[in-house]
Amino acid sequence: MHIATDTRSRILAAAKPRFHSRSYANVGIQEICESAGIQKGSFYHFFPSKRDLVMAVIDEFSDEWANGFVAEAFDPALPPMERIDYLIDAAYFWQKSIKQVHGRMLGCIFGNLTLEVSTQDDILRAKLLAIFTRAKSRFSETLDQAVAAGTIAPLDTELTAEAMLAYLEGVILLAKAQNDPELLYRLGPAIKTLRVELKAA
Amino acid sequence: MHIATDTRSRILAAAKPRFHSRSYANVGIQEICESAGIQKGSFYHFFPSKRDLVMAVIDEFSDEWANGFVAEAFDPALPPMERIDYLIDAAYFWQKSIKQVHGRMLGCIFGNLTLEVSTQDDILRAKLLAIFTRAKSRFSETLDQAVAAGTIAPLDTELTAEAMLAYLEGVILLAKAQNDPELLYRLGPAIKTLRVELKAA
DNA sequence: CTTGCATTTTACCGATCGGTCAACTAGTAT
DNA sequence: ATACTAGTTGACCGATCGGTAAAATGCAAG
């Protein structure tokens, strides 16, 4: 591991907040290079294309969440339904802290990118879909355990998990439209009222 | 009303499907002019800027919906909660028919634009927020009537309406990530299970 | 000392971006 | 006939886009 790989991480460090706070199309390679103190040719030594860069950014965000709030929230030591509360809380506080620093509600980078690029780039769409699929399984495992524990009545855990994920993304979308993370606080807890019944056999 | 105003509508006709199927940044004025058989200078005779164009596009979509499916769905003759079913159905069939023609799930242009531009352009954000606010009040009126009719137990109709709107947008987002409108069919009906309780006084 | 490889720099590519401007056309009203 | 105006044209602006290629640099192993 050379110190030189530091260049790659400087590029990522410059790209991450930009893609999060603006959009895929609105962030240029040149700007990233300037911010990283790098020449454009050097950028293309580490990333074959802009798409590869944003995929690396997606991975970084994904890892950050998986090892951070998500790991805390989906702690097996917590009662299942409390994990969902925890996740909503974490999302709220995160968005709120970003707004305090940045002045704006930036929302979920996965949702942002999905709506921007998924009709134009199937590879990016697949990448983002994989993120959502993983998130959904965290929810469905939790719901399975809640049903097993008798905390909630039996339901279609797969579909309800997907519904909860959709709801979370939707609330973040609306909060972004209002530039106000407080909407997450007001609407977040209702996620637990969502139910998709089991289909009769 | 001159025939010449036909130019303006040709511009809009070219712009609408493009902004819907791609993104704000990815659609250029030049492309729109070519598709409309128009010179660029002519475009700027009718629209002061790209932003004004997209606002006109937003208005057109909004009017289309308001006079179409939304008017049908929120028909006072229907029992309140059936109106919501109707709206979900309409959204599903619309997305499905677009996919059949276009090959892709395009989603909701208001949601798409919101996530793309709302950190970068407060005027567009305000415009989109107004769309959502109007949509929310359709939901909340419906819920008010459902509560009054005793169809559903009392709840916070304002917040529940907002939750339902968020859920709808979220489901469309996830469906777009999967490029599959069927998700709307599977998850849509669960919208009626959402509840935000009245705050104790 | 040399070979080889990873990294970086510099200059460049054609294309496109949103937007401007002055000249021109056509129809209308006086 | 003339003057005014809405509409249209085509050329043009500087800036930026994503990406490329070749030469230079630094470093490490033989």
Side-chain angles (χ1 to χ4, degrees), chain B residues 37-107:
Chain B
I38 288 293
Q39 234 55 36
K40 197 181 269 194
S42 202
F43 170 89
Y44 280 97
H45 177 72
F46 291 98
F47 298 96
S49 70
K50 187 183 184 182
R51 184 214 269 153
D52 290 278
L53 170 65
V54 85
M55 293 216 281
V57 167
I58 290 169
D59 280 330
E60 287 234 339
F61 270 102
S62 173
D63 290 348
E64 245 173 56
W65 268 86
N67 301 325
F69 291 131
V70 171
E72 289 175 31
F74 290 102
D75 178 355
L78 284 174
M81 296 309 279
E82 284 184 26
R83 299 173 206 166
I84 293 174
D85 283 323
Y86 195 116
L87 187 76
I88 296 285
D89 270 10
Y92 164 59
F93 284 114
W94 190 55
Q95 295 292 336
K96 193 175 171 176
S97 73
I98 288 177
K99 168 150 188 197
Q100 270 161 5
V101 173
H102 188 283
R104 301 207 105 95
M105 200 3 229
L106 303 186

Side-chain angles (χ1 to χ4, degrees), chain B residues 4-26:
Chain B
T5 307
D6 156 82
T7 296
R8 194 188 132 97
S9 39
R10 285 227 308 286
I11 294 172
L12 282 171
K16 276 179 65 183
R18 284 173 172 79
F19 282 131
H20 191 201
S21 69
R22 310 227 292 280
S23 71
Y24 181 63
N26 197 58

